[in-house]
Amino acid sequence: MLKVILNGLEFKNPILTAAGTFGKGYELAHSYDLSKLGGIIPKTLTLKKKNGNPFPRLSEVPCGLINSIGLENEGIEHFLNETYPILKKLPTKIIVSISGESIEEFAELLSTLNRETDIDVFEINLSCPNVERGGEEFSLNVDILSSLLLKLRRMTDRVLWAKLPPDVYGIVRKVEVVKSVGIDAVVLCNTYKSTYIDVNKMSYSIAAGQGGLSGPAILPITLYIVREVKKTFPDLPIIASGGVFSTEDVIRYILVGAHLVEIGTMNFIKPDEVFKIPFGIEKYLKEKEKSLDEIRGYLL
Ligand SMILES: Cc1cc2nc3c(=O)[nH]c(=O)nc-3n(C[C@H](O)[C@H](O)[C@H](O)COP(=O)(O)O)c2cc1C
């Protein structure tokens, strides 16, 4: 009933755990039934191990969370030797999120993973600084975005998803690039640039002074972006990511056309919930006497 066929792959249901909010992906395998999830996206992987940013890296704010983790991860060597052999045995789809500080670094990472694994889907995390251009994010310049995605597209036949940072006013131009180079689906969106202040300490709440806002505060904005993109590019599949804290929130994204929905911050607050949401969707569909396909894009 909840099955989703997307990019030629079968997902048990539309629920994925978002990168950076579910550890390496397998830590909860002894406590929870991971087969209840449509898929898992482990923490973004980079070529070399990264220790991340100084602490504090997380700050709770009204209706949300600001993080500045700095892509802390084990690097590809450890991933291939230790983590991937465990991940590939899990009873759900594994989507591997990748990132780099230059086009070449992205390409080397993808080429190694493509050669040494049978991973079905790569999620390209575009919310990262391009050191060759003074730290400008890859998606800010559509020519750079296009060169990067085209290079990666030509390297593999596996499914590629592009995860964009949010952009309320200019998202259509960026998604146009994603679509034109043949990327299979777009993930909307990553966290929102933000900052917060601890008035008593007279300092920023996170050491980096700024970070990415996630959680319920962002849902209405990301929902708007998903709707805008789906209206403009009806044939490009969307994976929504932003502020989901309930079954109803997932349904909201599906009603404006999302095929799959990633859940992030909620996993820190109520880790059980992500496993219950598929049942919630089933109940909703029964009550409305409709299928998932019938409600997808119902409000466009
Ligand atoms: C602590 C934390 C770490 C994150 N790390 C990553 C990451 O490594 N790669 C990535 O693409 N997104 C990362 N994200 C963004 C989430 O995957 C998700 O897209 C975003 O938080 C919006 O969804 P949410 O409101 O459900 O959390 C992170 C978010 C949080 C809160």
Side-chain angles (χ1 to χ4, degrees):
M1 186 182 195
L2 293 186
K3 194 167 76 178
V4 178
I5 306 286
L6 177 65
N7 305 141
L9 300 171
E10 185 177 320
F11 295 81
K12 251 174 259 177
N13 62 57
I15 303 303
L16 312 175
T17 58
T21 66
F22 207 69
K24 291 182 185 179
Y26 60 75
E27 293 94 331
L28 293 181
H30 296 298
S31 321
Y32 294 101
D33 180 2
L34 300 185
S35 74
K36 297 228 168 78
L37 300 173
I40 289 173
I41 312 176
K43 178 79 193 161
T44 293
L45 185 63
T46 55
L47 209 50
K48 296 205 180 82
K49 179 181 184 325
K50 271 179 173 267
N51 294 324
N53 290 337
F55 290 87
R57 302 160 160 188
L58 288 177
S59 169
E60 244 185 283
V61 298
C63 295
L65 180 70
I66 300 183
N67 89 81
S68 175
I69 307 292
L71 292 187
E72 177 183 357
N73 79 99
E74 58 197 352
I76 192 167
E77 200 180 320
H78 189 271
F79 176 82
L80 289 174
N81 294 333
E82 310 288 334
T83 306
Y84 183 61
I86 305 174
L87 287 178
K88 67 191 264 189
K89 291 194 194 129
L90 295 181
T92 186
K93 277 252 169 304
I94 300 298
I95 294 105
V96 172
S97 166
I98 57 167
S99 192
E101 290 183 348
S102 63
I103 293 182
E104 284 318 311
E105 206 177 303
F106 263 107
E108 195 179 334
L109 183 58
L110 181 62
S111 122
T112 311
L113 289 167
N114 203 36
R115 198 173 54 240
E116 299 196 21
T117 69
D118 53 3
I119 294 162
D120 291 321
V121 187
F122 297 105
E123 183 180 84
I124 306 162
N125 176 2
L126 294 158
S127 300
C128 49
N130 179 355
V131 291
E132 284 168 348
R133 288 183 60 91
E136 177 188 80
E137 275 186 14
F138 284 95
S139 69
L140 285 183
N141 178 318
V142 284
D143 294 330
I144 300 281
L145 181 65
S146 175
S147 310
L148 169 65
L149 294 180
L150 196 58
K151 181 158 185 123
L152 301 183
R153 177 68 290 171
R154 286 182 175 150
M155 288 173 56
T156 182
D157 291 334
R158 313 264 180 96
V159 172
L160 292 180
W161 295 348
K163 183 176 184 183
L164 287 170
D167 183 345
V168 177
Y169 301 102
I171 197 76
V172 164
R173 230 158 55 96
K174 295 171 184 174
V175 176
E176 205 157 14
V177 171
V178 169
K179 189 169 185 284
S180 69
V181 300
I183 296 293
D184 301 285
V186 63
V187 183
L188 300 169
C189 305
N190 214 309
T191 53
Y192 289 68
K193 278 198 185 303
S194 53
T195 190
Y196 209 58
I197 288 169
D198 183 325
V199 172
N200 287 326
K201 290 187 187 156
M202 293 179 80
S203 68
Y204 290 103
S205 310
I206 39 177
Q210 64 171 56
L213 178 65
S214 61
I218 69 171
L219 183 128
I221 322 176
T222 304
L223 190 61
Y224 168 81
I225 293 173
V226 169
R227 186 186 66 151
E228 284 307 290
V229 170
K230 197 65 196 177
K231 280 198 303 190
T232 315
F233 306 102
D235 301 333
L236 181 70
I238 297 179
I239 296 101
S241 168
V244 168
F245 261 58
S246 64
T247 297
E248 288 75 15
D249 290 340
V250 171
I251 304 285
R252 288 185 173 100
Y253 278 120
I254 296 174
L255 287 172
V256 292
H259 271 80
L260 303 172
V261 179
E262 298 184 4
I263 299 185
T265 304
M266 187 191 79
N267 300 324
F268 297 118
I269 316 281
K270 35 181 185 176
D272 290 4
E273 193 67 16
V274 73
F275 300 96
K276 296 182 192 156
I277 285 183
F279 297 106
I281 304 172
E282 228 164 67
K283 189 161 163 269
Y284 176 87
L285 293 174
K286 269 192 200 130
E287 277 166 19
K288 297 289 178 201
E289 297 182 345
K290 293 210 177 322
S291 70
L292 207 49
D293 287 341
E294 283 167 336
I295 69 159
R296 186 178 307 113
Y298 185 85
L299 283 181
L300 293 175

Short mmCIF file of all heavy atoms in Angstrom, two decimals, residues 18-21 43-44 58 65 67 69 71 125 163 189-191 214-215 218 241-244 263-265 268, ligand 1:
data_model
loop_
_atom_site.label_atom_id
_atom_site.label_comp_id
_atom_site.label_asym_id
_atom_site.label_seq_id
_atom_site.Cartn_x
_atom_site.Cartn_y
_atom_site.Cartn_z
N ALA A 18 16.98 11.46 7.42
CA ALA A 18 17.81 12.45 6.73
C ALA A 18 19.27 12.37 7.17
O ALA A 18 19.57 12.04 8.33
CB ALA A 18 17.26 13.85 7.02
N ALA A 19 20.16 12.73 6.26
CA ALA A 19 21.61 12.68 6.54
C ALA A 19 21.96 13.52 7.78
O ALA A 19 21.45 14.62 7.96
CB ALA A 19 22.39 13.21 5.34
N GLY A 20 22.81 12.94 8.62
CA GLY A 20 23.32 13.67 9.79
C GLY A 20 22.43 13.57 11.02
O GLY A 20 22.76 14.11 12.07
N THR A 21 21.30 12.87 10.87
CA THR A 21 20.37 12.81 12.01
C THR A 21 20.08 11.38 12.43
O THR A 21 19.23 11.13 13.28
CB THR A 21 19.02 13.49 11.65
OG1 THR A 21 18.39 12.72 10.63
CG2 THR A 21 19.24 14.91 11.16
N LYS A 43 25.19 9.79 7.67
CA LYS A 43 25.90 11.08 7.69
C LYS A 43 26.68 11.29 6.38
O LYS A 43 27.29 10.35 5.86
CB LYS A 43 26.87 11.06 8.88
CG LYS A 43 27.70 12.29 9.04
CD LYS A 43 26.93 13.42 9.67
CE LYS A 43 27.66 14.74 9.54
NZ LYS A 43 26.76 15.89 9.74
N THR A 44 26.67 12.51 5.89
CA THR A 44 27.41 12.81 4.63
C THR A 44 28.86 12.35 4.73
O THR A 44 29.55 12.58 5.72
CB THR A 44 27.37 14.32 4.35
OG1 THR A 44 26.02 14.70 4.05
CG2 THR A 44 28.25 14.69 3.16
N LEU A 58 25.44 22.75 18.48
CA LEU A 58 23.98 22.66 18.38
C LEU A 58 23.36 23.69 19.31
O LEU A 58 23.86 23.90 20.42
CB LEU A 58 23.50 21.28 18.85
CG LEU A 58 23.76 20.07 17.97
CD1 LEU A 58 23.27 18.81 18.67
CD2 LEU A 58 23.05 20.22 16.62
N LEU A 65 16.19 23.91 15.58
CA LEU A 65 17.53 23.57 16.04
C LEU A 65 18.51 24.18 15.06
O LEU A 65 18.32 24.09 13.84
CB LEU A 65 17.65 22.04 15.99
CG LEU A 65 18.95 21.39 16.43
CD1 LEU A 65 19.14 21.55 17.94
CD2 LEU A 65 18.93 19.88 16.09
N ASN A 67 22.38 23.91 13.75
CA ASN A 67 23.56 23.07 13.89
C ASN A 67 24.68 23.59 13.01
O ASN A 67 24.46 24.19 11.96
CB ASN A 67 23.23 21.59 13.56
CG ASN A 67 23.39 21.27 12.09
OD1 ASN A 67 24.51 21.03 11.61
ND2 ASN A 67 22.29 21.29 11.35
N ILE A 69 27.75 21.35 12.54
CA ILE A 69 28.56 20.17 12.85
C ILE A 69 29.85 20.19 12.03
O ILE A 69 30.89 19.74 12.49
CB ILE A 69 27.76 18.86 12.53
CG1 ILE A 69 26.40 18.86 13.23
CG2 ILE A 69 28.57 17.62 12.88
CD1 ILE A 69 26.42 18.76 14.72
N LEU A 71 30.25 18.71 8.95
CA LEU A 71 30.40 17.44 8.22
C LEU A 71 31.38 16.47 8.86
O LEU A 71 32.15 15.79 8.15
CB LEU A 71 30.79 17.70 6.75
CG LEU A 71 29.73 18.35 5.85
CD1 LEU A 71 30.20 18.37 4.40
CD2 LEU A 71 28.39 17.64 5.93
N ASN A 125 25.27 16.28 -1.65
CA ASN A 125 25.01 17.36 -0.69
C ASN A 125 25.68 18.64 -1.19
O ASN A 125 26.90 18.77 -1.15
CB ASN A 125 25.56 16.94 0.68
CG ASN A 125 25.43 18.03 1.72
OD1 ASN A 125 24.89 19.11 1.45
ND2 ASN A 125 25.93 17.77 2.91
N LYS A 163 20.81 17.39 -3.52
CA LYS A 163 20.17 18.02 -2.35
C LYS A 163 20.60 19.48 -2.30
O LYS A 163 21.76 19.80 -2.06
CB LYS A 163 20.58 17.29 -1.07
CG LYS A 163 19.89 17.85 0.18
CD LYS A 163 20.25 17.05 1.42
CE LYS A 163 19.52 17.52 2.64
NZ LYS A 163 19.93 16.80 3.85
N CYS A 189 14.75 20.63 1.15
CA CYS A 189 16.02 21.32 1.01
C CYS A 189 16.87 20.96 2.23
O CYS A 189 16.40 20.34 3.17
CB CYS A 189 15.81 22.84 1.06
SG CYS A 189 14.64 23.49 -0.13
N ASN A 190 18.06 21.50 2.23
CA ASN A 190 18.89 21.38 3.43
C ASN A 190 18.44 22.45 4.44
O ASN A 190 17.38 23.06 4.28
CB ASN A 190 20.36 21.52 3.05
CG ASN A 190 21.25 20.65 3.94
OD1 ASN A 190 21.14 20.72 5.17
ND2 ASN A 190 22.10 19.86 3.35
N THR A 191 19.27 22.72 5.45
CA THR A 191 18.90 23.67 6.52
C THR A 191 19.05 25.12 6.04
O THR A 191 19.69 25.40 5.02
CB THR A 191 19.82 23.46 7.72
OG1 THR A 191 21.18 23.52 7.26
CG2 THR A 191 19.58 22.13 8.37
N SER A 214 16.89 23.89 11.35
CA SER A 214 16.04 22.76 10.94
C SER A 214 14.87 22.69 11.92
O SER A 214 14.80 23.47 12.86
CB SER A 214 16.85 21.47 10.99
OG SER A 214 17.32 21.23 12.31
N GLY A 215 13.98 21.72 11.71
CA GLY A 215 12.86 21.52 12.63
C GLY A 215 11.61 22.26 12.19
O GLY A 215 11.57 22.88 11.13
N ILE A 218 10.96 25.51 9.96
CA ILE A 218 11.22 25.64 8.52
C ILE A 218 10.16 24.97 7.65
O ILE A 218 10.15 25.17 6.44
CB ILE A 218 12.63 25.10 8.13
CG1 ILE A 218 12.73 23.57 8.27
CG2 ILE A 218 13.72 25.79 8.94
CD1 ILE A 218 14.03 22.97 7.70
N SER A 241 12.52 17.52 2.42
CA SER A 241 13.23 17.44 3.70
C SER A 241 13.11 18.78 4.39
O SER A 241 13.63 19.79 3.90
CB SER A 241 14.71 17.14 3.43
OG SER A 241 15.47 17.34 4.61
N GLY A 242 12.41 18.79 5.53
CA GLY A 242 12.33 20.04 6.27
C GLY A 242 11.20 20.08 7.27
O GLY A 242 10.03 20.20 6.90
N GLY A 243 11.56 19.91 8.54
CA GLY A 243 10.62 20.19 9.63
C GLY A 243 9.56 19.16 9.92
O GLY A 243 8.63 19.44 10.68
N VAL A 244 9.69 17.96 9.37
CA VAL A 244 8.63 16.96 9.61
C VAL A 244 8.68 16.47 11.06
O VAL A 244 9.72 16.01 11.54
CB VAL A 244 8.77 15.76 8.65
CG1 VAL A 244 7.88 14.61 9.08
CG2 VAL A 244 8.46 16.19 7.23
N ILE A 263 13.22 12.63 7.15
CA ILE A 263 12.94 13.12 8.50
C ILE A 263 14.26 13.26 9.25
O ILE A 263 15.06 12.32 9.30
CB ILE A 263 11.97 12.16 9.23
CG1 ILE A 263 10.65 12.10 8.44
CG2 ILE A 263 11.75 12.62 10.67
CD1 ILE A 263 9.55 11.30 9.07
N GLY A 264 14.51 14.45 9.81
CA GLY A 264 15.79 14.73 10.44
C GLY A 264 15.70 15.04 11.92
O GLY A 264 15.75 14.15 12.77
N THR A 265 15.52 16.32 12.23
CA THR A 265 15.57 16.80 13.62
C THR A 265 14.66 16.00 14.56
O THR A 265 15.00 15.77 15.71
CB THR A 265 15.19 18.30 13.63
OG1 THR A 265 16.09 18.97 12.75
CG2 THR A 265 15.31 18.89 15.01
N PHE A 268 16.06 13.34 16.88
CA PHE A 268 16.75 13.67 18.14
C PHE A 268 15.74 13.85 19.28
O PHE A 268 16.07 13.66 20.44
CB PHE A 268 17.53 14.99 18.00
CG PHE A 268 18.64 14.93 16.99
CD1 PHE A 268 18.62 15.76 15.88
CD2 PHE A 268 19.70 14.05 17.14
CE1 PHE A 268 19.64 15.73 14.94
CE2 PHE A 268 20.72 14.01 16.20
CZ PHE A 268 20.69 14.85 15.10
C1 LIG B 1 22.53 17.82 13.49
C2 LIG B 1 22.27 17.84 12.02
C3 LIG B 1 23.23 17.34 11.15
C4 LIG B 1 23.01 17.35 9.77
N1 LIG B 1 23.96 16.83 8.93
C5 LIG B 1 23.70 16.78 7.59
C6 LIG B 1 24.63 16.15 6.72
O1 LIG B 1 25.66 15.60 7.11
N2 LIG B 1 24.33 16.17 5.39
C7 LIG B 1 23.18 16.72 4.87
O2 LIG B 1 22.96 16.68 3.66
N3 LIG B 1 22.27 17.27 5.71
C8 LIG B 1 22.51 17.31 7.04
N4 LIG B 1 21.57 17.85 7.87
C9 LIG B 1 20.31 18.35 7.30
C10 LIG B 1 19.21 17.29 7.38
O3 LIG B 1 19.55 16.14 6.66
C11 LIG B 1 17.86 17.84 6.87
O4 LIG B 1 17.94 18.03 5.47
C12 LIG B 1 17.49 19.16 7.52
O5 LIG B 1 17.79 19.12 8.89
C13 LIG B 1 16.01 19.50 7.37
O6 LIG B 1 15.17 18.49 7.87
P1 LIG B 1 14.61 18.43 9.38
O7 LIG B 1 13.95 19.75 9.66
O8 LIG B 1 13.65 17.27 9.35
O9 LIG B 1 15.77 18.20 10.26
C14 LIG B 1 21.78 17.86 9.26
C15 LIG B 1 20.81 18.34 10.14
C16 LIG B 1 21.03 18.33 11.50
C17 LIG B 1 19.96 18.85 12.41
#
